[in-house]
């Protein structure tokens, strides 16, 4: 008499090439990629908001200036045209367009010619002659106003997907008003008495006021009334070939 058993018959062996219902062929076997909770910190990346990398901060991390925004954004830079030109060139590198309003277009001509390879990425306009730029999420615009220490009221203002950077070579009678209305202010090396004026407007602590008169070339204090950071801007090799070394005066 055959003896009963509780063993379940083994399933028939499948061919390695036989497809599994709904899953296709069995792929190669690899070890599972797993991390413990303590290892998650190793995945951290030194990135900030989307935007233009304008240099490195005091910790050596990339400093990113978010110029592409769905809301109007105004920037005032008290400094040299060299830094504004680097920002313009890197804005083009991120897919944006740049319109330069300037009374010294000869300073921007070489930059525009180098950037306009195949399309008009940087356009130059006389003061007060900037036409509507038609900014959009797919074609953001940066308007650079290089109109002297007392820039006139601009025809083209900040708008969604269109930021405006006003370049001031040094503080003047309208600087405090422009800073008060700006969303972000950048300050490079200025005279001690000018540093006091800027410090009062931007609510800077005394140590920052004192530092402003001795900043090296290429260093900018980017600030609002509640936060601030020092950023060092160094040129890439192509930028150095086109614009030269970092400098405060033009």
């Amino acid at each position: 008499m055959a003896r009963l058993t509780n063993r379940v018959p083994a399933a028939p062996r499948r061919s390695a090439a036989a497809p599994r219902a709904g899953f296709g062929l069995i792929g190669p076997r690899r070890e599972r990629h797993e991390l413990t909770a303590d290892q998650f910190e190793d995945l951290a990346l030194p990135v900030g908001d989307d935007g233009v990398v304008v240099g490195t901060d005091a910790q050596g991390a990339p400093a990113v200036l978010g110029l592409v925004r769905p809301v109007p954004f105004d920037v005032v830079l008290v400094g040299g045209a060299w830094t504004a030109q680097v920002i313009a060139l890197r804005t083009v590198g991120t897919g944006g367009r740049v319109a330069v309003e300037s009374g010294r277009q000869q300073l921007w001509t070489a930059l525009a010619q180098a950037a306009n390879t195949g399309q008009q990425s940087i356009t130059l306009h006389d003061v007060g002659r900037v036409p509507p730029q038609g900014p959009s999420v797919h074609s953001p615009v940066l308007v650079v106003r290089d109109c002297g220490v007392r820039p006139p009221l601009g025809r083209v203002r900040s708008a969604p997907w269109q930021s405006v950077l006003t370049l001031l070579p040094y503080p003047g009678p309208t600087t405090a008003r422009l800073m008060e209305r700006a969303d972000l202010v950048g300050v490079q090396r200025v005279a001690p008495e000018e540093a006091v004026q800027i410090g009062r407007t931007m609510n800077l602590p005394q140590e920052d006021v004192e530092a402003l008169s001795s900043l090296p070339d290429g260093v900018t204090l980017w600030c609002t009334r509640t936060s601030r950071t020092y950023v060092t801007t160094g040129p890439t090799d192509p930028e150095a070939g086109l614009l030269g070394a970092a400098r405060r005066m033009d």
Side-chain angles (χ1 to χ4, degrees):
M1 179 183 296
R3 194 170 56 175
L4 297 178
T5 175
N6 292 328
R7 291 192 307 168
V8 178
R13 299 182 63 182
R14 294 174 181 245
S15 168
R20 297 175 298 166
F23 294 95
L25 298 176
I26 299 175
R29 293 291 182 257
R30 296 289 186 269
E31 294 183 3
R32 296 176 63 88
H33 299 284
E34 296 180 349
L35 291 176
T36 65
D38 296 336
Q39 293 175 308
F40 281 122
E41 287 294 329
D42 296 335
L43 297 178
L45 297 175
V47 296
D49 295 335
D50 292 339
V52 178
V53 178
V54 295
T56 55
D57 61 19
Q59 288 72 43
V64 180
L65 182 56
L67 294 173
V68 177
R69 297 171 180 260
V71 295
F73 190 67
D74 286 283
V75 181
V76 170
L77 173 61
V78 181
W82 184 91
T83 301
Q85 290 176 331
V86 170
I87 293 174
L89 199 58
R90 295 181 183 182
T91 298
V92 171
T94 62
R97 293 182 288 122
V98 177
V100 179
E101 178 184 6
S102 178
R104 46 179 185 173
Q105 291 193 18
Q106 72 282 358
L107 191 65
W108 294 86
T109 300
L111 178 70
Q113 291 174 344
N116 294 339
T117 55
Q119 58 182 349
Q120 290 293 101
S121 300
I122 297 181
T123 56
L124 306 183
H125 310 273
D126 292 327
V127 176
R129 298 296 184 88
V130 181
Q133 296 297 303
S136 69
V137 63
H138 302 295
S139 183
V141 177
L142 171 64
V143 178
V144 178
R145 305 200 69 216
D146 176 24
C147 306
V149 71
R150 299 185 67 173
L153 189 64
R155 291 178 56 186
V156 177
R157 304 186 183 183
S158 60
W161 308 114
Q162 178 170 284
S163 299
V164 174
L165 187 153
T166 300
L167 174 64
L168 305 175
Y170 52 86
T174 62
T175 300
R177 175 177 56 83
L178 291 171
M179 286 183 170
E180 289 170 355
R181 296 180 178 180
D183 299 292
L184 182 67
V185 172
V187 185
Q188 297 184 322
R189 187 173 62 248
V190 294
E193 59 273 16
E194 295 170 338
V196 172
Q197 172 190 344
I198 293 172
R200 185 180 305 115
T201 303
M202 297 305 299
N203 194 31
L204 297 177
Q206 184 61 30
E207 57 266 27
D208 289 318
V209 173
E210 295 173 356
L212 288 179
S213 59
S214 59
L215 293 179
D217 290 346
V219 175
T220 307
L221 173 63
W222 292 101
C223 60
T224 65
R225 288 180 180 78
T226 58
S227 63
R228 56 200 174 277
T229 185
Y230 289 92
V231 174
T232 300
T233 303
T236 63
D237 289 342
E239 291 169 349
L242 179 63
L243 303 175
R247 59 189 179 277
R248 168 63 177 91
M249 301 303 295
D250 305 307

